[in-house]
Amino acid sequence: MEDLREGIVLKRIKGFYYLMDDFGEEVACKIKGSLFKESRFDNQVAVGDRVRYLLSEKNTQGLITGLLPRRSFLSRNRVGIDTEQIIAANVDLLLMVSSVKQPAFRHNLIFRLIVAAYIGNIIPVLVMTKTDLLGIKEIRELLRPFEGIDISIQLTSVKQPKTCLEIKDLIASRICVLSGHSGVGKSTLVNLLYPEFQLETGKINPKTSKGLHTTTSSMMYPVGEKGFIIDTPGIREFGFWNLKRENLRKYYPGIRDYNSQCKLRNCCHIHEPSCQVKSDLKEKNLNSDLYAGYISIYESLPSGGH
């Protein structure tokens, strides 16, 4: 007799989905083929998803038969293929990990991740690593575009472990996903907070000053009594799935606060008259780098649609 149960997806390896059941036990599952009938890509089930599965009394291997509704998600356009890739599901916090140096801090990726977090109903948190490599004045200058934006910023260095303890408190009872470029210290940070995991860490390519991939797929780890942390592969590029130019203003940090302040109801804050964004930019009440990031993303998106 088969037994219908529920579990949360921890990882996927070579066609198997590894779930954690309600008793904290890990179960290896295959997935019912009909779940992919609307797409030839097997991207419907992601780490963090809650699923229903059948487990035979005579077999420890399960069969995923259904996907429960998501309350949040982090997704992007799958690299090389025009389809949505769900990176993680049912997430509370997106920890956007970036080093101040080695590799260099890149504002535009952080802007894109914040947009993706807002689209997916996730709270973004900026985690700056390797802060021992740069002076506080230089770090403040790097962070100037984020002044006035309602996101938490954590300054950390694994050489100063006390700076990382607040991250552990954030994770304690939440589901958190880490995202950022390769080499910024995601796995190193996790190893410091949770030594029992011993995730593989990478080095910086001396020729390109970019990180080398070590995490090859998203994996979810239970932490504390109720928390989970999801480690993801380093990002080379981050494209949006089904986001149109006209809707970027609803999700872009800082800009989305202006949606009711312009003369035109659907102002995109590019060339429209009586635009409060452009006015504040001229008066230096809006950071020019923040706005430049908005323009960069806007020009990369298609127009029309939803």
Side-chain angles (χ1 to χ4, degrees):
M1 182 178 179
E2 292 181 322
D3 185 12
L4 185 62
R5 306 183 181 190
E6 292 184 7
I8 186 170
V9 179
L10 299 178
K11 59 189 174 183
R12 179 192 173 189
I13 301 176
K14 296 181 179 179
F16 279 92
Y17 293 84
Y18 293 84
L19 318 181
M20 188 177 78
D21 65 17
D22 292 334
F23 303 100
E25 298 297 323
E26 190 171 290
V27 182
C29 293
K30 285 287 191 177
I31 195 162
K32 192 174 181 180
S34 61
L35 289 181
F36 296 125
K37 63 183 179 181
E38 295 181 358
S39 171
R40 65 187 179 90
F41 303 111
D42 56 349
N43 62 343
Q44 280 85 351
V45 177
V47 170
D49 268 326
R50 287 199 63 84
V51 297
R52 291 192 178 96
Y53 66 99
L54 290 171
L55 187 64
S56 172
E57 290 182 353
K58 296 181 180 180
N59 196 338
T60 57
Q61 181 177 310
L63 178 68
I64 296 174
T65 60
L67 177 66
L68 297 178
R70 294 172 177 137
R71 58 182 174 82
S72 64
F73 62 90
L74 177 65
S75 79
R76 68 174 182 174
N77 192 77
R78 194 166 183 171
V79 178
I81 305 173
D82 189 25
T83 189
E84 183 178 25
Q85 177 188 9
I86 305 294
I87 298 171
N90 300 313
V91 174
D92 299 304
L93 299 178
L94 168 59
L95 304 184
M96 306 173 296
V97 184
S98 184
S99 53
V100 300
K101 195 176 181 181
Q102 299 179 8
F105 181 66
R106 298 178 183 178
H107 293 90
N108 282 347
L109 175 63
I110 301 303
F111 295 151
R112 284 178 173 268
L113 287 174
I114 294 174
V115 170
Y118 287 150
I119 289 173
N121 195 34
I122 302 172
I123 298 172
V125 176
L126 177 55
V127 179
M128 301 293 289
T129 62
K130 307 183 185 181
T131 54
D132 56 287
L133 299 180
L134 212 58
I136 189 63
K137 289 184 178 179
E138 290 85 353
I139 293 174
R140 285 175 178 167
E141 190 62 32
L142 286 178
L143 296 176
R144 197 172 298 281
F146 304 97
E147 291 179 356
I149 297 176
D150 187 24
I151 64 169
S152 172
I153 299 176
Q154 304 291 324
L155 303 182
T156 69
S157 168
V158 294
K159 293 185 178 180
Q160 300 168 329
K162 288 184 178 180
T163 63
C164 305
L165 295 181
E166 194 169 340
I167 302 295
K168 195 168 187 177
D169 292 336
L170 281 173
I171 296 170
S173 59
R174 297 180 175 96
I175 298 178
C176 304
V177 56
L178 282 71
S179 189
H181 283 299
S182 297
V184 297
K186 297 187 299 296
S187 298
T188 301
L189 179 62
V190 173
N191 285 342
L192 175 67
L193 299 177
Y194 306 101
E196 64 270 24
F197 294 147
Q198 286 303 300
L199 305 185
E200 184 180 356
T201 58
K203 298 180 179 179
I204 303 300
N205 187 320
K207 293 184 179 180
T208 64
S209 296
K210 295 181 179 179
L212 302 172
H213 285 298
T214 51
T215 303
T216 57
S217 61
S218 296
M219 292 195 181
M220 186 172 188
Y221 303 90
V223 295
E225 293 185 5
K226 297 181 180 179
F228 290 89
I229 191 165
I230 302 172
D231 192 25
T232 64
I235 296 173
R236 296 289 189 193
E237 57 184 279
F238 193 98
F240 297 103
W241 169 251
N242 203 28
L243 178 63
K244 309 302 180 184
R245 286 183 171 183
E246 294 78 7
N247 290 314
L248 177 61
R249 59 189 173 84
K250 300 176 183 177
Y251 306 109
Y252 193 85
I255 299 296
R256 69 182 195 150
D257 300 329
Y258 286 87
N259 286 336
S260 61
Q261 298 183 34
C262 297
K263 183 177 181 180
L264 298 179
R265 184 170 62 89
N266 294 322
C267 184
C268 288
H269 318 303
I270 304 294
H271 48 65
E272 295 88 348
S274 302
C275 173
Q276 189 62 45
V277 169
K278 299 299 288 291
S279 176
D280 278 5
L281 185 66
K282 185 177 181 180
E283 297 296 324
K284 297 185 178 180
N285 293 324
L286 180 68
N287 184 274
S288 59
D289 290 330
L290 180 68
Y291 183 72
Y294 175 77
I295 295 296
S296 176
I297 296 176
Y298 182 90
E299 292 178 345
S300 73
L301 298 174
S303 60
H306 81 94

